[in-house]
Amino acid sequence: MTLLLAGDIGGTKTILRLVEFSETLGLKTLYEESFRSGDFPDLVPIVQRFLTTANSSTPEKACFAIAGPVVENTAKLTNLAWFLDTNRLTQELGILSISLINDFAAVGYGIFGLTKQDLLTLQVGKYQPAAPMAVIGAGTGLGQGFLIKQDHQYQVFPSEGGHADFAPRNELEFQLLKYLVDKHDIQRVSVERVVSGLGITSIYQFLRDRNIATESPEIAQAVRTWEQEAQTTEKTVDPGAFIGAAALQKSDRLSEQTMQLFIEAYGAEAGNLALKLLPYGGLYIAGGIAPKILPLMQNGSFLLNFTQKGRMGSLLEEIPVHIILNQQVGLIGAALSASRL
């Protein structure tokens, strides 16, 4: 048995999990705890408190998934004044081997720790065991990554594909692009500005400002509050959650149209990623949004726009497409990544 420490490190929350690993039995969770990241000056005191509370000896290996790019074993968190370096962490924590990985790389590793109950299949496709795999996930931002098989083992690679250009495909999407350029006074619009939690709110504002449908008082208040708090670090409301719930309940026409446009853009971008990789090993949809709006993801719009690629559409119809339901896939992946160190 090997004692491992896995972590999911974000600007708001840090989750740590102590795990036992064996080649025959896999992962066994011993203890888990969540911390407010902003209450600590660095990751080290969080780990020290965690291990003390868990009454644990020092783990042999650790892997921390970071919400942001990892460059030469270092990471600077976007919304937190932490600078993490594996050499320093190794020395201060006494753990022999530590790695930092991008949070979407962790999702990639985590796929191999999921069960059938952790997945919902949108498209069975024609699975090819040696083919690449892809991961895409809308949440706070839009994460993307891919996996390639090397020597009987998959290697996981993160990407910053969510920051590629948003590619409108019809008149309404062209209008959305111009709206975002003008509203934010920017030169280009990344696909993350449309396919993300922020994107849901942006689409809603676009349709609202064009008087596509009448606002409901409850959602109007949520969006107004969010707009007033736009320049603050602490947000008290998530309008995307209100909009998604109203669309599911079919209680608000503007929200329904917002989510329709969001899902069409989401499917199209997933199809773009699939065209570049041809992931016949499977395309996995991660992130916090898809599991909350499953009926909308299953109504056909996502797959229609996923496969609507002209002459290449028949290729995409053969790619297995799955939604990851287990929101702890990143922690599972960090643990599996630690086991490889």
Side-chain angles (χ1 to χ4, degrees):
M1 290 285 189
T2 304
L3 189 62
L4 308 174
L5 177 61
D8 186 353
I9 316 301
T12 303
K13 182 170 61 175
T14 290
I15 307 172
L16 298 179
R17 176 181 288 182
L18 193 65
V19 176
E20 272 187 348
F21 173 79
S22 73
E23 293 290 346
T24 54
L25 299 176
L27 302 174
K28 178 184 177 183
T29 299
L30 303 178
Y31 182 70
E32 181 178 319
E33 191 172 354
S34 178
F35 303 86
R36 278 177 50 89
S37 302
D39 292 343
F40 297 84
D42 186 68
L43 178 60
V44 171
I46 295 182
V47 173
Q48 291 171 336
R49 177 181 294 188
F50 172 81
L51 293 176
T52 299
T53 304
N55 195 25
S56 170
S57 57
T58 302
E60 297 174 43
K61 306 173 184 179
C63 177
F64 302 109
I66 309 297
V70 177
V71 181
E72 295 182 351
N73 298 316
T74 65
K76 187 179 186 305
L77 273 73
T78 305
N79 298 315
L80 202 62
W82 289 6
F83 180 77
L84 304 180
D85 179 285
T86 55
N87 291 330
R88 178 180 67 84
L89 292 173
T90 298
Q91 292 173 0
E92 295 188 18
L93 293 173
I95 299 173
L96 294 177
S97 187
I98 294 179
S99 71
L100 304 175
I101 62 174
N102 171 267
D103 58 344
F104 244 73
V107 171
Y109 285 113
I111 288 171
F112 302 104
L114 298 177
T115 66
K116 288 183 179 180
Q117 289 70 36
D118 293 324
L119 298 172
L120 183 147
T121 298
L122 288 183
Q123 178 169 277
V124 175
K126 296 180 180 178
Y127 171 72
Q128 297 179 18
M133 302 165 70
V135 184
I136 185 170
T140 304
L142 179 65
Q144 298 186 14
F146 60 98
L147 300 84
I148 295 176
K149 202 166 192 177
Q150 298 176 344
D151 299 326
H152 308 292
Q153 190 175 56
Y154 275 96
Q155 299 298 316
V156 181
F157 301 91
S159 86
E160 293 298 333
H163 295 285
D165 296 330
F166 169 57
R169 300 165 300 139
N170 53 50
E171 181 60 31
L172 186 61
E173 290 184 354
F174 275 108
Q175 291 177 16
L176 172 61
L177 175 67
K178 186 177 187 308
Y179 174 85
L180 292 172
V181 167
D182 293 342
K183 181 179 179 66
H184 299 289
D185 192 22
I186 51 180
Q187 299 299 312
R188 61 180 289 274
V189 174
S190 69
V191 67
E192 184 176 81
R193 281 192 181 269
V194 177
V195 183
S196 64
L198 174 63
I200 291 174
T201 306
S202 295
I203 294 169
Y204 179 92
Q205 292 171 315
F206 161 67
L207 296 175
R208 175 200 67 190
D209 293 351
R210 272 150 182 74
N211 299 313
I212 298 296
T214 304
E215 281 190 286
S216 70
E218 180 186 21
I219 296 175
Q221 181 58 50
V223 173
R224 296 293 187 280
T225 301
W226 182 86
E227 289 171 338
Q228 292 166 3
E229 296 174 344
Q231 303 304 319
T232 64
T233 55
E234 291 292 334
K235 304 292 191 299
T236 62
V237 65
D238 176 9
F242 283 87
I243 294 165
L248 282 172
Q249 296 164 8
K250 297 184 178 180
S251 61
D252 178 66
R253 182 60 182 156
L254 187 53
S255 294
E256 290 181 67
Q257 292 182 310
T258 296
M259 295 309 298
Q260 180 67 26
L261 182 50
F262 168 80
I263 287 169
E264 289 173 358
Y266 200 169
E269 178 59 17
N272 289 340
L273 179 62
L275 279 177
K276 294 167 185 174
L277 297 171
L278 295 179
Y280 293 114
L283 181 139
Y284 290 81
I285 302 165
I289 294 176
K292 296 175 183 175
I293 57 168
L294 286 178
L296 302 180
M297 295 292 291
Q298 293 175 283
N299 71 5
S301 294
F302 182 93
L303 279 180
L304 175 64
N305 288 272
F306 176 78
T307 56
Q308 204 169 57
K309 302 297 183 185
R311 292 170 295 168
M312 299 295 106
S314 59
L315 295 180
L316 299 194
E317 289 173 0
E318 297 185 357
I319 293 174
V321 179
H322 312 282
I323 296 176
I324 298 174
L325 304 177
N326 189 334
Q327 291 298 287
Q328 294 190 316
V329 61
L331 269 177
I332 294 170
L336 287 172
S337 180
S339 73
R340 291 189 179 191
L341 294 176

